[in-house]
């Protein structure tokens, strides 16, 4: 395990390089794997740190302050670790979790696809069980973070079992008849590429994953057939929230503002100090709700997790834009860090569940 401060410095330097290239930085990825950070969400019994969700969210925020793209890759890895720990068979846990702790296996989620909608109700990607009990996967996934750099993909597909209920409206996120599979990067028929030119999160390796007659064993199925919506519904109960990324982005924007105003002497003006203070209050409010989500306290922890993602991501965008207004022409340069943060902040709002879907999921219980 390397020192966190030195790891963060490597991530910071990589962020600017990836902004130029739109590809994940090799040095940053090597550092991520060897740093020991990937063990955070893995139970101690499988060689991990066994950290709670509060610590996980705090770590994601720290990384996002210097490199939001690496924070997103790390967050997705944690999410796959958690799903395997919650729903995996004893054999799957023994197979994957130790190597996910060491960094030898990097996990990614492949859920989104063109035409499926934010709620993932109309999946075209399918899995059909063949005579020998294995499964044949076909389809294409888009906006997969970690595409091409991950070693293991948690893939959401439609299965024939329960297909007659595929339009079930009881599930706001996902549909009956959907199933998860763990697909190795070396599986024949799995093809990953980085064909997306992103405005933000340009070092997150977000791209496409296609499945062309990709054969996996039934042992690679995660959870019961057709049970994916229940697995998805449990994700937000964990308290792990993308709002943690937004808190890091907002804090980074605040740091940009303070550094600029300290250098220029503008902090001598009460009006400037007061505007910065108001923004700092909003950042700390976002940090507080993300912390609350991690504690999983309250009558409805899942709703708190959704609200934390929504509030923190909206706050991050607001803080970034307000700082840009305050800096004026000083930030109106293509390579200014603040412009990268603005694009990164917007990206979190579009990540699943999107902010619009968060609003729908929170409000679903209020209507019959």
């Amino acid at each position: 395990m390397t020192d966190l401060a030195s790891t963060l410095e490597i991530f910071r330097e990589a962020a600017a390089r990836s902004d130029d290239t739109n590809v994940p930085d090799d040095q940053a990825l090597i550092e991520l794997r060897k740093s020991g950070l990937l063990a955070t969400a893995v139970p101690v019994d499988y060689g991990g740190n066994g950290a709670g969700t509060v610590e996980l969210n705090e770590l994601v925020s720290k990384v996002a302050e210097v490199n939001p793209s690496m924070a997103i890759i790390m967050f997705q890895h944690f999410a796959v670790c958690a799903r395997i720990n919650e729903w995996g068979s004893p054999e799957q846990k023994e197979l994957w979790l130790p190597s996910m702790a060491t960094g030898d296996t990097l996990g990614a989620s492949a859920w989104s696809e063109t035409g499926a909608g934010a709620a993932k109700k109309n999946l075209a990607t399918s899995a059909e069980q063949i005579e020998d009990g294995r499964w044949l996967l076909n389809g294409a996934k888009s906006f997969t973070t970690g595409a091409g750099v991950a070693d293991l993909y948690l893939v959401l597909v439609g299965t024939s079992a329960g297909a007659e209920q595929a339009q079930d409206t009881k599930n706001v996120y996902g549909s009956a008849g959907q199933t998860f599979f763990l697909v190795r990067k070396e599986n024949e028929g799995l093809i990953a590429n980085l064909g997306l030119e992103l405005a933000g999160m340009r070092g997150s390796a977000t791209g496409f994953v296609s499945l062309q007659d990709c054969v996996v064993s039934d042992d690679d199925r995660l959870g019961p057939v057709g049970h994916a919506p229940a697995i998805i519904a449990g994700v937000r109960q964990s308290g792990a929230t993308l709002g943690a990324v937004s808190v890091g982005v907002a804090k980074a924007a605040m740091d940009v503002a303070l550094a600029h105003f300290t250098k220029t002497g503008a902090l001598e003006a009460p009006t400037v100090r007061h505007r910065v203070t108001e923004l700092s209050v909003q950042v700390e409010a976002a940090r507080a709700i993300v912390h609350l989500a991690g504690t999983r306290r309250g009558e409805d922890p899942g709703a708190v997790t959704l609200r934390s993602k929504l509030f923190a991501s909206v706050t991050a965008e607001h803080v970034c834009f307000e700082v840009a207004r305050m800096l004026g022409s000083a930030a109106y340069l293509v390579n200014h860090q603040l412009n990268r943060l603005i694009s990164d902040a917007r990206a979190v709002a579009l990540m699943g569940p999107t902010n619009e879907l968060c609003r729908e999921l929170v409000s679903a219980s209020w209507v019959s």
Side-chain angles (χ1 to χ4, degrees):
M1 180 180 293
T2 56
D3 176 66
L4 179 58
S6 61
T7 295
L8 293 178
E9 187 56 36
I10 291 171
F11 287 172
R12 186 192 304 276
E13 294 170 356
R17 293 194 294 268
S18 289
D19 196 49
D20 290 336
T21 63
N22 191 47
V23 297
D25 186 79
D26 288 339
Q27 186 178 354
L29 288 171
I30 291 171
E31 180 64 22
L32 178 64
R33 287 181 182 269
K34 74 177 186 179
S35 66
L37 297 180
L38 295 179
T40 303
V42 177
V44 174
D45 289 347
Y46 296 98
N49 298 337
T53 314
V54 170
E55 296 103 315
L56 185 151
N57 287 338
E58 290 176 350
L59 175 61
V60 170
S61 290
K62 286 181 182 178
V63 173
E65 286 183 35
V66 299
N67 193 321
S69 290
M70 296 307 298
I72 287 292
I73 290 175
M74 190 171 68
F75 183 89
Q76 293 297 339
H77 174 84
F78 292 159
V80 176
C81 290
R83 301 297 81 73
I84 294 174
N85 187 49
E86 293 165 358
W87 292 93
S89 65
E91 294 77 15
Q92 287 173 327
K93 293 178 184 180
E94 288 288 351
L95 175 63
W96 292 117
L97 291 179
S99 65
M100 297 183 86
T102 61
D104 292 324
T105 296
L106 181 64
S109 297
W111 298 13
S112 300
E113 60 185 62
T114 303
K120 312 295 186 292
K121 282 188 169 295
N122 302 300
L123 294 181
T125 305
S126 64
E128 294 292 334
Q129 196 163 24
I130 52 183
E131 291 183 358
D132 61 5
R134 294 182 300 168
W135 294 83
L136 185 67
L137 278 55
N138 280 287
K141 297 294 181 178
S142 59
F143 290 96
T144 297
T145 296
V149 301
D151 306 291
L152 183 68
Y153 296 88
L154 180 60
V155 182
L156 178 65
V157 302
T159 44
S160 56
E164 68 279 1
Q165 301 166 338
Q167 298 303 316
D168 180 8
T169 58
K170 295 179 182 178
N171 296 307
V172 180
Y173 201 155
S175 291
Q178 294 175 352
T179 305
F180 279 116
F181 286 90
L182 294 165
V183 185
R184 300 162 175 80
K185 69 175 182 181
E186 63 268 19
N187 268 65
E188 187 175 350
L190 185 144
I191 303 170
N193 70 77
L194 299 176
L196 293 173
E197 181 77 14
L198 299 178
M201 298 292 181
R202 288 171 62 82
S204 64
T206 298
F208 300 98
V209 172
S210 64
L211 303 157
Q212 301 175 7
D213 291 333
C214 181
V215 178
V216 297
S217 74
D218 195 51
D219 291 336
D220 294 320
R221 172 173 46 82
L222 185 71
V225 174
H227 207 67
I231 297 176
I232 295 172
V235 170
R236 54 184 176 269
Q237 299 297 329
S238 71
T241 170
L242 279 168
V245 178
S246 295
V247 169
V249 173
K251 174 61 165 54
M254 283 291 304
D255 289 345
V256 169
L258 287 171
H260 176 79
F261 294 136
T262 299
K263 181 179 179 180
T264 61
L267 285 176
E268 297 297 325
T271 54
V272 174
R273 294 200 305 273
H274 295 175
R275 287 181 69 184
V276 174
T277 298
E278 289 296 330
L279 293 180
S280 71
V281 170
Q282 294 171 40
V283 173
E284 291 311 308
R287 190 188 306 280
I289 193 171
V290 165
H291 176 83
L292 179 62
T295 66
R296 291 179 285 182
R297 295 173 184 162
E299 294 182 1
D300 190 349
V304 176
T305 301
L306 292 168
R307 290 185 175 104
S308 72
K309 193 268 183 175
L310 179 59
F311 181 77
S313 59
V314 170
T315 297
E317 285 194 75
H318 173 72
V319 169
C320 286
F321 279 119
E322 284 302 304
V323 171
R325 292 186 184 98
M326 294 176 71
L327 265 62
S329 59
Y332 202 62
L333 300 170
V334 171
N335 62 349
H336 196 285
Q337 180 188 0
L338 189 59
N339 293 313
R340 182 167 71 245
L341 292 172
I342 289 171
S343 295
D344 288 347
R346 181 57 184 156
V348 181
L350 301 173
M351 292 176 177
T354 65
N355 282 6
E356 285 305 307
L357 184 55
C358 284
R359 295 181 177 98
E360 182 61 24
L361 290 166
V362 170
S363 63
S365 63
W366 302 340
V367 295
S368 57

